[in-house]
């Protein structure tokens, strides 16, 4: 009984969406072109369940490159109307098309100069007559057994909103890279699942000096690569230490000797923390955060240098902030 009822609800709602393909027409294309030609925002408005659907449509439009906002009809009539400009495209959501708060607002919106569009199940309703563009989101019945609770009708509104957003993606040539910029948390999450070896500086392009070298050479390398650190290797290219900006400041604060004339061995931090090329970037980030460092030497199982990983390359060159220090 329970499973059968659930299946019937899903079937009714699925059928409702499929039937929208029969009612969608040139009005939809007109709305898409109006949005693409507008220099303003898409303002979506509705009340009750339609209002909740409107908020979701706005969220989808924003994340796919269409500047949008949700406007509550009652709040609009009590001051928020000032957020609407004549360059905006206004989309009203009401299945019945007779929502009094919304129909009271639409003439005011029209006076502002906005183009009005309506998602409604009643194309001969009062709201439809007020709109320049009418998108039919009508359904034969609600999934509710009493045919009262908004179920199929709100699903139809939501699906039409998704259709609008996806068509706009194509029309505006919105790329995957643009989407990622709108979802930095998602970008970072995806990036952290990569291996260290995918983004590190290879050994051949990393700043390093041999043990016994003078600090003047180490500083020259640090200035050349501008990574805030230089690695110290032995003749077998095994890692012996690291010199960071912090190490240099610490040495100067505690010694009166000429820094440039000192051996790198006297300034470096020995046995720095390291990872392998197969480590995940989230491990690297956790290690950097735990020890407040911004650079990690990457070594093989024999402690020979494979590369160097910088925090900025994990987080994306300034897209995020992290208060790291020296080794």
């Amino acid at each position: 009984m329970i499973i059968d009822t659930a299946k019937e609800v899903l079937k009714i709602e699925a059928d409702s969406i499929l039937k929208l393909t029969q009612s969608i027409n040139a009005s939809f294309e007109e709305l898409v072109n109006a949005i693409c030609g507008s220099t303003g925002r898409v303002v979506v408005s509705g009340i009750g369940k339609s209002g909740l659907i409107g908020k979701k449509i706005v969220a989808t439009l924003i994340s796919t490159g269409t500047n949008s906002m949700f406007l509550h009809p009652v709040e609009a009539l009590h001051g928020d109307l000032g957020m609407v400009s004549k360059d905006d495209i206004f989309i009203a959501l009401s299945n019945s098309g007779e929502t009094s708060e919304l129909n009271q607002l639409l003439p005011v919106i029209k006076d502002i100069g906005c183009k009005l569009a309506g998602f409604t199940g009643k194309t001969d309703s009062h709201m439809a007559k007020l709109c320049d563009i009418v998108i039919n989101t009508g359904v034969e019945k609600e999934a509710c057994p009493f045919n009262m609770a908004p179920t199929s009708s709100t699903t139809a509104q939501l699906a039409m909103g998704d259709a609008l957003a996806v068509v706009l993606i194509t029309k505006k040539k919105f790329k995957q890279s643009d989407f990622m910029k709108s979802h930095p948390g998602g970008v970072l999450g995806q990036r952290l699942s990569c291996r260290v070896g995918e983004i590190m500086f290879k050994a051949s392009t990393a700043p390093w000096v041999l043990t016994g070298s003078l600090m003047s050479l180490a500083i020259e390398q640090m200035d050349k690569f501008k990574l805030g650190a230089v690695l110290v290797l032995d003749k077998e290219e095994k890692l012996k230490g690291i010199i960071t900006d912090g190490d240099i400041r610490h040495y100067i604060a505690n010694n009166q000797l000429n820094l440039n004339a000192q051996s790198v061995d006297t300034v470096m931090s020995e046995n720095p923390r390291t990872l392998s090329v197969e480590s995940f970037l989230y491990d690297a980030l956790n290690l950097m955060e735990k020890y407040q460092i911004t650079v990690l030497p990457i070594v093989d199982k024999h402690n020979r240098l494979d590369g160097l990983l910088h925090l900025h390359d994990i987080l994306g060159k300034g897209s995020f902030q992290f208060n790291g220090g020296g080794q």
Side-chain angles (χ1 to χ4, degrees):
M1 174 67 179
I2 292 173
I3 300 299
D4 288 342
T5 301
K7 287 181 178 180
E8 180 63 18
V9 170
L10 294 175
K11 183 178 183 302
I12 291 171
E13 297 208 4
D15 288 344
S16 297
I17 293 175
L18 284 175
K19 285 176 181 176
L20 291 181
T21 62
Q22 300 170 15
S23 61
I24 196 167
N25 55 28
S27 295
F28 186 88
E29 188 173 1
E30 184 183 354
L31 176 57
V32 170
N33 290 332
I35 292 172
C36 290
S38 169
T39 57
R41 294 170 295 184
V42 173
V43 180
V44 180
S45 187
I47 204 164
K49 306 296 189 299
S50 291
L52 296 173
I53 295 300
K55 290 178 181 179
K56 196 279 176 183
I57 291 174
V58 165
T60 303
L61 288 171
I62 290 172
S63 70
T64 53
T66 299
N67 192 6
S68 309
M69 63 169 280
F70 178 79
L71 182 66
H72 193 286
V74 176
E75 297 298 331
L77 292 169
H78 290 272
D80 285 358
L81 195 59
M83 293 187 289
V84 181
S85 77
K86 62 181 179 61
D87 298 316
D88 295 333
I89 306 295
F90 193 94
I91 301 177
L93 273 60
S94 172
N95 184 49
S96 69
E98 302 298 342
T99 304
S100 58
E101 297 91 342
L102 200 53
N103 288 342
Q104 184 182 354
L105 174 63
L106 293 186
V108 184
I109 297 295
K110 188 179 283 286
D111 287 341
I112 291 174
C114 292
K115 183 172 282 292
L116 295 180
F119 282 17
T120 181
K122 306 293 182 184
T123 55
D124 59 349
S125 62
H126 183 59
M127 186 186 89
K129 292 173 183 176
L130 289 169
C131 290
D132 303 305
I133 303 171
V134 178
I135 307 298
N136 187 352
T137 56
V139 299
E140 290 184 359
K141 62 177 181 178
E142 300 288 3
C144 163
F146 309 114
N147 198 34
M148 294 177 66
T151 44
S152 300
S153 58
T154 47
T155 299
Q157 289 176 343
L158 183 59
M160 193 62 78
D162 286 342
L164 178 64
V166 173
V167 169
L168 287 168
I169 288 175
T170 304
K171 185 76 173 176
K172 292 183 170 186
K173 296 181 172 57
F174 189 78
K175 302 185 294 294
Q176 183 180 4
S177 58
D178 298 319
F179 182 86
M180 300 298 260
K181 289 175 185 175
S182 302
H183 298 73
V187 174
L188 180 58
Q190 184 181 55
R191 194 172 184 82
L192 293 182
S193 66
C194 296
R195 305 281 183 174
V196 164
E198 294 180 47
I199 70 166
M200 71 179 188
F201 288 90
K202 306 297 183 186
S204 58
T205 60
W208 60 271
V209 294
L210 288 172
T211 55
S213 299
L214 293 179
M215 277 300 299
S216 56
L217 178 60
I219 292 172
E220 181 183 320
Q221 287 291 96
M222 289 178 72
D223 185 61
K224 177 182 177 181
F225 286 87
K226 302 187 185 308
L227 295 175
V230 61
L231 305 177
V232 180
L233 311 180
D234 65 15
K235 292 181 179 179
E236 296 178 346
E237 296 188 355
K238 291 184 178 181
L239 182 69
K240 306 303 291 183
I242 187 171
I243 300 171
T244 67
D245 290 331
D247 291 319
I248 292 175
R249 289 194 302 271
H250 180 75
Y251 181 86
I252 293 173
N254 291 279
N255 295 275
Q256 301 298 317
L257 300 175
N258 179 10
L259 174 66
N260 285 334
Q262 302 306 307
S263 167
V264 293
D265 302 70
T266 63
V267 180
M268 71 181 186
S269 294
E270 297 183 70
N271 303 314
R273 294 170 183 85
T274 62
L275 286 176
S276 73
V277 292
E278 292 301 314
S279 300
F280 287 104
L281 289 180
Y282 59 72
D283 290 327
L285 185 61
N286 287 337
L287 191 64
M288 288 175 167
E289 185 171 14
K290 180 178 179 179
Y291 294 105
Q292 290 290 288
I293 55 180
T294 58
V295 207
L296 273 176
I298 309 303
V299 297
D300 65 14
K301 62 182 180 180
H302 302 295
N303 206 39
R304 283 193 291 263
L305 184 67
D306 276 331
L308 181 69
L309 183 67
H310 196 283
L311 177 69
H312 289 172
D313 293 297
I314 300 178
L315 298 183
K317 296 291 185 184
S319 297
F320 304 87
Q321 291 185 344
F322 172 80
N323 296 319
Q327 282 275 351

